[in-house]
Amino acid sequence: MALSVLGWCLFAYLVAAVPMGVVVGYLRGVDIRQLGSGNIGATNASRVLGAKWGLVVFVLDVVKAYLPVHLAMSSSLGDLPDPPSALAWVGLAATLGHIFPVYLGFRGGKGVACALGVFAALVPLAGLLAALIYVQTLALTRVSAIGSLTAVNAAALHILITDTAPAYKGLVVAIAALIWVRHRGNLRELARSRRAPS
């Protein structure tokens, strides 16, 4: 059974590690790593390629994490004594695949869209809540980083205070911590912009 869990984790990692932003950028004749912020995620894709293609990258990043986790839920992992623990590892592997992709020398994105895909599969209400909070916060602030962090906090709070499997609680804490760490540069920029004289 341990080998089965390890196999699904490896599958999830390798699928989620596919850099959709880079792939879409190449199809459009652009390397988004060389433009804008240099990030491979949907925010930089929107900046470099336009909002339509940024949305395409976002959806693909969500799907590449959702798909392996959803498939794992339908596999023999569902017959284990503690399926949530096994699935939490698969979800973490998918998130790590996007953040540290082997195909790009382990330099990847910030994990927000992938986290949404993971929780859309494991705890759909948390995924929906995160998506709604992100859209609302982005509309109010026009800052993607604030929307992302607010969304992950909302998903984490929902999972932590509801009757959700303990393994999923641990997973959301780990993923939220990763996303906050990945956004530390954005937070420094926001702090500098607030201190700058008008």
Side-chain angles (χ1 to χ4, degrees):
M1 287 299 183
L3 286 176
S4 177
V5 175
L6 183 61
W8 276 106
C9 286
L10 181 60
F11 173 69
Y13 172 86
L14 292 174
V15 171
V18 176
M20 294 302 183
V22 175
V23 172
V24 172
Y26 277 150
L27 293 175
R28 301 292 298 164
V30 174
D31 184 352
I32 68 170
R33 294 172 296 175
Q34 305 303 319
L35 299 167
S37 68
N39 192 269
I40 67 169
T43 300
N44 195 46
S46 296
R47 186 180 296 119
V48 174
L49 304 173
K52 179 181 72 173
W53 292 106
L55 180 60
V56 169
V57 171
F58 179 80
V59 170
L60 291 174
D61 279 345
V62 171
V63 170
K64 75 179 185 180
Y66 173 87
L67 189 60
V69 176
H70 178 72
L71 290 174
M73 292 177 72
S74 305
S75 74
S76 59
L77 296 189
D79 299 325
L80 294 177
D82 184 16
S85 292
L87 293 169
W89 283 111
V90 176
L92 181 61
T95 307
L96 292 174
H98 178 75
I99 296 175
F100 305 108
V102 65
Y103 312 119
L104 297 180
F106 304 101
R107 294 187 296 273
K110 295 179 180 176
V112 177
C114 275
L116 177 60
V118 168
F119 287 108
L122 296 178
V123 190
L125 187 55
L128 177 61
L129 177 64
L132 292 175
I133 292 293
Y134 174 80
V135 171
Q136 181 186 53
T137 307
L138 181 62
L140 292 172
T141 66
R142 301 295 179 183
V143 180
S144 180
I146 295 177
S148 298
L149 294 174
T150 305
V152 74
N153 286 351
L157 182 62
H158 171 81
I159 290 172
L160 290 172
I161 68 175
T162 56
D163 186 21
T164 309
Y168 295 162
K169 295 180 189 294
L171 175 64
V172 77
V173 169
I175 288 179
L178 276 170
I179 289 174
W180 272 88
V181 169
R182 295 293 289 176
H183 279 82
R184 62 190 183 278
N186 300 84
L187 294 172
R188 284 195 294 266
E189 288 178 14
L190 285 170
R192 280 197 299 267
S193 67
R194 283 185 172 275
R195 289 196 300 266
S198 55

